Each structure stands twice: as C-alpha cells, then as structure tokens.
Amino acid sequence: MDVELVRTFLAVAHHRNFSAAGRDLAIVQSAVTARIHLVEKAVGARLFDRNPKHVTLTQHGLQLLEPARSLVDAEERFLAALRDERPTGRIGVAAPESICAYRLPPLVADLAATFPGLEVHIIPAGTEVAMEHLLQRRCDLALSLDPPAANTRLSTERLGTEEVGLWTAAEAPPPGTFDEVASGALFLLEEGCSYSDQFLATLRSETGENGRTTRFSSLEAVKSCIAAGLGPGVLPQFSIQAHDNLVRAAIPVPDAEVFLTRESARWLSPGVAAVAAALRALWRDATG
C-alpha cells in the first residue's frame, strides 16, 4: 500500500477531521476523502464513523493504528539510511508552561543554529496532557516535573532537578512559618503543576488550611501578584530574574524533578535524537 495513503489515515485519526487532516498534509479535503476510500477498500472495512463535525475510529480503524505507525516509521528509517540524514524536520516537545517560557527558548535557538533543517515546536502541556500528546503522536518528546503514570508504550528518564522556592516582594515581610502563609493570600500555578500541588498539600498538612489561594495558568500572572505585594507565591528559581525584585522566604520548598518521556516503540529519528541529547545536556549543565 502507498505510504502516503497510510499517512493520510494517521492524519485523519489524529485530527478527527478530514479538513484539518488536509491542511496538515497540504492537500484538499476531497483528496483526503478519496485516499481514505482507497484505504478502506484495500482493507475491506470502514475505518471511520463520520458525522458533520468530526470522525471517530471504528474498531477496525483502532486495530490499524499501530501497524500504520510502524509502516511510516519504517519508511522514515529507510529514507534516513539512504540520505545519511542529519537532524531535520519538525520536532514537537510538550512541556510545562514554566519550562516552555524559560528553559526551552535558548535551547531551540541553539538547535536551529546548529541544525538549520531542524524546527523544534514547543507545546505547553501538563503531565497528563503531554503523555496523551505522545500516545496520539501530537508530539515527539515530553518534559514533565513529575513522573508520568506507568505505561508500557512510554519510556521515561530522569533528567535532573529544578530548584523551587516561596517568593515575596522585596518590600514585603516574608512569611516565616506555614501558619503565616495560611493566614494570608497565596499565589500558585494551576492545578496539575506538581510543585504547586505539593506545596499546597504540605500547607494543608501543616495547618489544616489552604490560605486564600489563587491559582493561575500563567507563571507571569503569579509573578505579577507577588511583585505587587499581594502575597507570596511558589515559583521555580529559573523564572526569577534580577529585575523582578522578589526575595525568597526561608520556608523550605522541595526541588522539582524533571523527566523526559518518549514513545518506546517509535523510531528515534536523527532530529528527535538531537533534541533529546540537547535536553539531557541542558539539565546536566543546570544541575552540575
């Protein structure tokens, strides 16, 4: 079977929409429809249930996902061997918002300078969403600040740690105890941020209270509230810049561990291997 037909099947399975798959493949929707008809004719079964807004995989379609992915991987390995390929292509990296904002941009710029044909796409995502992206092949690598749930299809390695602290505005008296934190406002990243969740759990354990906790999806929103003197907040050390005028409270906050995950059976292309190696070096250098 033509591998382009298989790629089209995977694109529709990924986007759950013929038009979106066509945009991804740079072909018109009618061509996507025609290709899917050819695949369904070849296998002798309907692969998608259609409705006006989206499509869903039938049982036959679900059974074909892994063989289709293996076929596309095999073609990529074959072509790479023929070309003695340098790292190229578009590599998706899913990661927490804080890492996307502060750790990854310099790395992406360095990779682009070293490998002009390599494009790294950053995808903000919490751990659970990042793992789903991997399993659905919406990204190639995923970073997380806590170990993902065990899954036989995924392979995870520990890269290092990130220092985390409780920060206050320089002109505000820093809290010295958990009771002081619980008696006022507290600013954290949204639920699912491992170090924020862990600090809040410790606060509850120590005081039985949550404080007047406000949670944001944006790290910059947390920093802005702290800087305005509204109360302390938990942030990673790397996000604090010299001009932020924040100071660290003495209350201990455990370091966050950083993990790198990929799909175990998926072919490790030169591009993905180069990005993974750069990520390992980044945390090796950061944690000494």
Side-chain angles (χ1 to χ4, degrees), residues 57-136:
L57 284 161
T58 64
Q59 189 59 40
H60 286 101
L62 289 169
Q63 291 172 351
L64 283 181
L65 273 179
E66 287 309 312
R69 289 166 177 161
S70 297
L71 181 59
V72 170
D73 284 349
E75 185 202 40
E76 291 177 357
R77 287 197 299 271
F78 175 74
L79 293 175
L82 286 179
R83 295 192 294 259
D84 188 23
E85 186 177 341
R86 284 173 56 80
T88 58
R90 191 171 189 265
I91 310 301
V93 179
E97 189 261 352
S98 56
I99 289 179
C100 290
Y102 289 94
R103 283 298 195 203
L104 294 186
L107 178 140
V108 171
D110 288 345
L111 284 169
T114 306
F115 306 111
L118 187 65
E119 178 188 353
V120 180
H121 177 54
I122 300 172
I123 307 167
T127 301
E128 185 176 347
V129 173
M131 297 310 116
E132 184 63 23
H133 284 337
L134 275 178
L135 293 171
Q136 297 299 324

Side-chain angles (χ1 to χ4, degrees), residues 168-175 180:
T168 63
E171 63 275 10
E180 290 180 23

Side-chain angles (χ1 to χ4, degrees), residues 35-52:
R35 289 182 182 184
I36 294 301
H37 281 318
L38 287 174
V39 178
E40 291 180 327
K41 182 177 180 181
V43 301
R46 189 177 75 258
L47 303 179
F48 296 99
D49 288 324
R50 282 84 159 167
N51 67 49

Side-chain angles (χ1 to χ4, degrees), residues 187-275:
F187 298 95
L188 303 173
L189 282 171
E190 64 187 339
E191 187 174 355
C193 170
S194 60
Y195 54 82
S196 295
D197 291 347
Q198 185 175 3
F199 184 84
L200 190 58
T202 301
L203 183 64
R204 290 179 189 138
S205 174
E206 293 288 334
T207 69
E209 303 288 342
N210 288 340
R212 298 196 304 275
T213 301
T214 302
R215 308 194 72 159
F216 293 102
S217 61
S218 165
L219 184 147
E220 290 303 317
V222 174
K223 284 176 63 174
S224 295
C225 290
I226 301 170
L230 301 181
V234 176
L235 291 171
Q237 174 71 47
F238 64 72
S239 69
I240 307 301
Q241 311 300 310
H243 59 78
D244 289 332
N245 199 32
L246 302 182
V247 296
R248 187 168 180 171
I251 295 174
V253 181
D255 291 344
E257 293 188 290
V258 184
F259 297 88
L260 176 64
T261 304
R262 61 179 296 268
E263 188 181 356
S264 306
R266 190 173 184 181
W267 175 58
L268 187 67
S269 72
V272 174
V275 176

Side-chain angles (χ1 to χ4, degrees), residues 131-145:
M131 297 310 116
E132 184 63 23
H133 284 337
L134 275 178
L135 293 171
Q136 297 299 324
R137 297 204 170 181
R138 297 168 188 157
C139 68
D140 302 279
L141 298 167
L143 293 166
S144 60
L145 292 175

